[in-house]
Amino acid sequence: MRKPIIAITPKTGNGGDEDSKFCYVFPNFINCVSACGGIPIQLSSLEGSFQVADMDELLERVDGVLFSGGPDIHPGLYGEELLDCCGALAPERDALEIPLMQKAIAMDKPVFGICRGFQVLNVVTGGTMYQDINTQNKSSVHIEHQRTKPEEKDKVMHKVNVIRDTPLHTFSEGLLQIGVNTLHHQGVKKLGEPLRSMAIADDGIVEAAYYPGKKFVMGVQWHPEILGLGDKVANNLFTAFVEACAQNMK
């Protein structure tokens, strides 16, 4: 039987002018998908490189989609005005990922959203975001979510509380607290419907959620691809995602 083909949404770069824009996927995503038995392929978010009308055909040709991390989603997409505390935006990624997520869910394709990818899942299902957690979240508990020093990216920085009887409870092999790395400044304010939370940080930020009734539609706010497959939960997440993609081929 062939291996499942898994599309990965890219970040964009700029070599200095409009003609030198490019897309790239961090090797961590590629390596995790490949090591778990999938064939990763990179999508393009460059303007003019895709048509929304072609997304059904695209999704017919792949077995699942991994929505990767990156810049902030434009707040207008969840009904809010852009505030000064919002970070860098990526309109070209919004244009690709919002309709792609909508169509993937409608077609019941396996979807795994990581960091920004989780936020895309939340926005598509009607959720909202804190444009900046430190500015807008009024919890008395402070967690510094934006740990971006190179030496800290693959380090566990805080705990999340796993909710019983959720897929993450299975992936954590029964643990009710797990350690995560943290590289974001935005977070879920209102969870989309019908998403259900799988983990919550001590400051109230939803750190993982899933879509009940779907083969595999879920997202996490941390970066399991950076923690690597030596991390038990990261390994179980990627393995389950690739297995769902393989089942989708049948």
Side-chain angles (χ1 to χ4, degrees):
M1 184 173 70
R2 70 171 176 86
K3 294 181 177 181
I5 298 171
I6 297 170
I8 305 176
T9 62
K11 294 192 74 172
T12 53
N14 192 323
D17 56 54
E18 286 295 315
D19 293 333
S20 58
K21 283 187 175 180
F22 59 92
C23 295
Y24 62 99
V25 169
F26 285 116
N28 305 69
F29 293 109
I30 295 168
N31 294 339
C32 287
V33 168
S34 180
C36 290
I39 298 176
I41 62 169
Q42 176 182 306
L43 299 179
S44 172
S45 58
L46 295 179
E47 186 176 357
S49 64
F50 66 92
Q51 300 291 328
V52 172
D54 295 333
M55 287 187 181
D56 285 341
E57 184 172 352
L58 166 65
L59 288 167
E60 290 288 354
R61 294 168 182 254
V62 301
D63 303 303
V65 186
L66 193 162
F67 289 78
S68 65
D72 296 344
I73 301 165
H74 196 290
L77 292 167
Y78 49 90
E80 294 189 4
E81 294 184 2
L82 178 65
L83 302 178
D84 290 340
C85 61
C86 192
L89 301 174
E92 72 287 346
R93 290 193 63 176
D94 293 344
L96 169 69
E97 294 174 0
I98 295 295
L100 184 62
M101 179 72 81
Q102 291 170 329
K103 288 181 178 290
I105 291 173
M107 295 173 67
D108 201 10
K109 289 283 182 176
V111 165
F112 188 16
I114 293 176
C115 197
R116 173 190 160 90
F118 172 38
Q119 296 171 6
V120 172
L121 172 61
N122 188 55
V123 169
V124 160
T125 53
T128 61
M129 304 297 304
Y130 289 114
Q131 294 187 42
D132 180 72
I133 294 170
N134 286 342
T135 303
Q136 296 181 303
N137 184 27
K138 304 305 181 183
S139 172
S140 60
V141 177
H142 177 74
I143 294 174
E144 183 50 65
H145 291 274
Q146 196 172 15
R147 298 294 189 93
T148 56
K149 294 179 181 178
E151 67 272 18
E152 294 180 343
K153 289 186 176 182
D154 63 348
K155 300 294 190 298
V156 168
M157 288 299 179
H158 70 87
K159 300 287 187 180
V160 299
N161 303 298
V162 179
I163 296 174
R164 292 180 185 273
D165 302 321
T166 63
L168 186 62
H169 191 213
T170 300
F171 301 147
S172 72
E173 298 178 11
L175 294 178
L176 293 177
Q177 270 198 340
I178 59 173
V180 299
N181 56 351
T182 186
L183 306 171
H184 61 104
H185 82 107
Q186 296 199 323
V188 170
K189 180 164 61 176
K190 179 178 78 74
L191 193 63
E193 285 288 345
L195 299 183
R196 293 293 177 264
S197 176
M198 298 193 292
I200 301 176
D202 286 342
D203 59 358
I205 298 297
V206 175
E207 292 272 343
Y210 74 108
Y211 196 126
K214 296 294 184 180
K215 295 171 185 173
F216 188 110
V217 176
M218 61 186 66
V220 299
Q221 187 59 73
W222 66 93
H223 284 263
E225 85 287 358
I226 295 178
L227 291 175
L229 298 181
D231 178 89
K232 174 175 63 179
V233 176
N235 192 320
N236 289 343
L237 278 165
F238 274 101
T239 298
F241 172 56
V242 174
E243 287 179 351
C245 295
Q247 290 294 320
N248 191 61
M249 299 188 303
K250 298 179 180 179

